[in-house]
Amino acid sequence: MKNFLSIGNKKFKSRLFMGTSRYPNHQVMLESLNAGRTEVVTVAIRRITLKKYNENIIDILKKKYFILPNTAGCYTIKEAVLTAELAREALKTNFVKLEVIGNDEDLLPDVENLITAAKELVKKKFNVLPYCNDDPIVCKKLEDVGCSAVMPLAAPIGSGMGIQNQQNIKVIVEESNVPVIVDAGVGTASDVAIAMELGCDGVLLNTSVAEAQNPKLMAKAMADAIVAGRNAFLAGRIPKRSFAKNSTTNKGRIHLIKKN
Amino acid sequence: MKKKLIINGENTFVLSETLSKVLNEIKIIKSQNMAVAVNEEVVEKNNWESYKIKSGDIIEIVQPLKGG
């Protein structure tokens, strides 16, 4: 049984990747990451504010977690590539969660530019984990240009709607030779369990935990759902039938004689 | 003579000659987690001391922050 999630030269026991944004405060974030039993946390790369104290979260996070920088907010290939290069310099990692967004209304990936940016970053020796549409063809193209994983969305970022196209995710899993990590749009634990039952290798989430009424408890629920869904996938579910099938045999049941 | 730079999108005037000194002049507390690009090229930390800054340079100074 394959117990580890391997991406590039890294092996992870936990299949839950967690974002670090939108928590009520620092303490709740750290407790939630802990409750989520995650190993990989994402961070953004942003300009420091001149003439002002800049919060430094990395020193705390990097003691315990593998830091995955993202290129959130990048609209062009140039911005995304430079952000990834700055992230590599800042964090000494070749890993990047590549985001190239089409617009700030729906935050959907601009797949044309995403594929080109991914190709460029692979050439520059990055392990590219692209946030992409739940489109099997796009995922295949991203794999073909050398991405280390593909990260199709469940639903738009922060929407909490869960997996909108299970069939597509299933096809992506079946056709992919690199890990498939569902990224974005998860709302609650059952969404995570479904992703894992479909055979995904992991789930990346943020808002669903950070903005839950009890983030720490939701993080635990997500971690439990990862395990439950993964085990269900490995166990192999029964096929769906459109008719009933008794689970208890009729043999030997009592049989009363009807009186008139 | 002061050089006019654009640092993180803001017009900034400095006297310093090197990147390292510019960072000091604008009172940036240097950290291992920081990264700097000049004219869209990353300048590695080892080269900050020697990297010469010229008028018109566009500098980006970034660090990791909370993100999803």
Side-chain angles (χ1 to χ4, degrees), chain A residues 203-216:
Chain A
V203 174
L204 196 166
L205 52 80
N206 190 158
T207 311
S208 52
V209 167
E211 294 190 353
Q213 289 188 25
N214 182 338
K216 196 175 151 186

Side-chain angles (χ1 to χ4, degrees), chain B residues 3-68:
Chain B
K3 289 187 266 293
K4 184 185 171 185
L5 310 175
I6 299 175
I7 302 180
N8 286 358
E10 290 178 28
N11 284 329
T12 311
F13 296 87
V14 297
L15 285 164
S16 307
E17 299 291 322
T18 66
L19 178 55
S20 183
K21 285 182 178 156
V22 167
L23 296 177
N24 291 340
E25 189 176 336
I26 61 169
K27 299 192 170 57
I28 298 284
I29 300 159
K30 292 173 197 163
S31 97
Q32 275 308 306
N33 300 324
M34 239 163 75
V36 177
V38 180
N39 303 328
E40 299 178 5
E41 294 281 340
V42 173
V43 181
E44 288 180 23
K45 291 180 188 77
N46 305 337
N47 299 331
W48 287 359
E49 292 280 345
S50 57
Y51 193 97
K52 292 266 188 294
I53 290 296
K54 56 187 189 312
S55 206
D57 280 347
I58 299 171
I59 303 179
E60 295 286 343
I61 310 167
V62 299
Q63 70 169 15
L65 282 178
K66 292 168 186 174

Side-chain angles (χ1 to χ4, degrees), chain A residues 26 28 30 44 49 51 115 131 154 174 180 184 205 225 247:
Chain A
H26 218 77
V28 173
L30 292 174
T49 317
K51 299 167 197 146
I115 294 168
Y131 159 67
E174 278 165 12
V180 178
L205 52 80
S247 46

Side-chain angles (χ1 to χ4, degrees), chain A:
Chain A
M1 197 192 292
K2 197 178 161 195
N3 283 324
F4 290 94
L5 166 57
S6 298
I7 303 176
N9 60 352
K10 290 278 169 193
K11 276 186 167 39
F12 304 107
K13 260 193 219 166
S14 167
R15 292 169 181 274
L16 181 62
F17 292 16
M18 293 176 74
T20 53
S21 195
R22 295 182 172 275
Y23 285 88
N25 60 53
H26 218 77
Q27 191 56 32
V28 173
M29 177 189 78
L30 292 174
E31 286 175 8
S32 300
L33 296 179
N34 192 42
R37 310 194 289 277
T38 185
E39 285 169 70
V40 180
V41 298
T42 59
V43 297
I45 301 297
R46 289 288 176 268
R47 284 173 167 171
I48 64 164
T49 317
L50 303 177
K51 299 167 197 146
K52 213 184 126 194
Y53 168 75
N54 286 274
E55 187 186 42
N56 184 359
I57 56 158
I58 299 308
D59 289 335
I60 304 165
L61 290 176
K62 73 179 175 191
K63 280 183 197 151
K64 195 168 168 193
Y65 302 106
F66 180 79
I67 310 281
L68 177 63
N70 67 30
T71 63
C74 290
Y75 292 89
T76 65
I77 298 167
K78 222 173 173 181
E79 281 173 355
V81 170
L82 181 58
T83 301
E85 289 178 313
L86 285 164
R88 173 153 73 184
E89 165 67 8
L91 293 163
K92 304 291 169 222
T93 177
N94 284 327
F95 280 70
V96 65
K97 170 185 162 178
L98 179 63
E99 289 184 44
V100 185
I101 303 297
N103 64 54
D104 56 10
E105 284 288 304
D106 49 34
L107 302 174
L108 291 172
D110 176 342
V111 290
E112 190 184 8
N113 285 338
L114 179 72
I115 294 168
T116 311
K119 201 172 174 179
E120 214 170 296
L121 288 170
V122 168
K123 223 183 271 175
K124 290 173 186 274
K125 309 272 181 242
F126 279 87
N127 283 301
V128 182
L129 289 74
Y131 159 67
C132 57
N133 281 322
D134 54 352
D135 177 341
I137 306 300
V138 167
C139 287
K140 204 22 111 185
K141 286 187 178 182
L142 288 164
E143 180 185 321
D144 289 346
V145 299
C147 289
S148 306
V150 289
M151 304 212 293
L153 52 82
I157 295 174
S159 68
M161 292 196 295
I163 299 178
Q164 294 296 292
N165 196 334
Q166 289 193 26
Q167 186 53 33
N168 272 20
I169 297 290
K170 211 171 153 184
V171 174
I172 292 167
V173 167
E174 278 165 12
E175 293 183 347
S176 185
N177 297 307
V178 293
V180 178
I181 296 160
V182 161
D183 179 7
V186 161
T188 187
S190 54
D191 300 331
V192 169
I194 289 169
M196 298 309 290
E197 285 172 16
L198 291 171
C200 292
D201 297 281
V203 174
L204 196 166
L205 52 80
N206 190 158
T207 311
S208 52
V209 167
E211 294 190 353
Q213 289 188 25
N214 182 338
K216 196 175 151 186
L217 189 57
M218 187 57 90
K220 183 187 180 304
M222 297 302 195
D224 292 346
I226 288 271
V227 174
R230 177 71 181 165
N231 284 341
F233 169 70
L234 294 173
R237 60 155 298 151
I238 59 161
K240 288 183 184 176
R241 301 183 183 97
S242 56
F243 49 86
K245 191 186 176 200
N246 56 353
S247 46
T248 307
T249 176
N250 277 340
K251 198 181 166 192
R253 75 180 180 90
I254 60 164
H255 207 99
L256 298 179
I257 297 159
K258 279 182 192 163
K259 289 178 186 165
N260 287 329

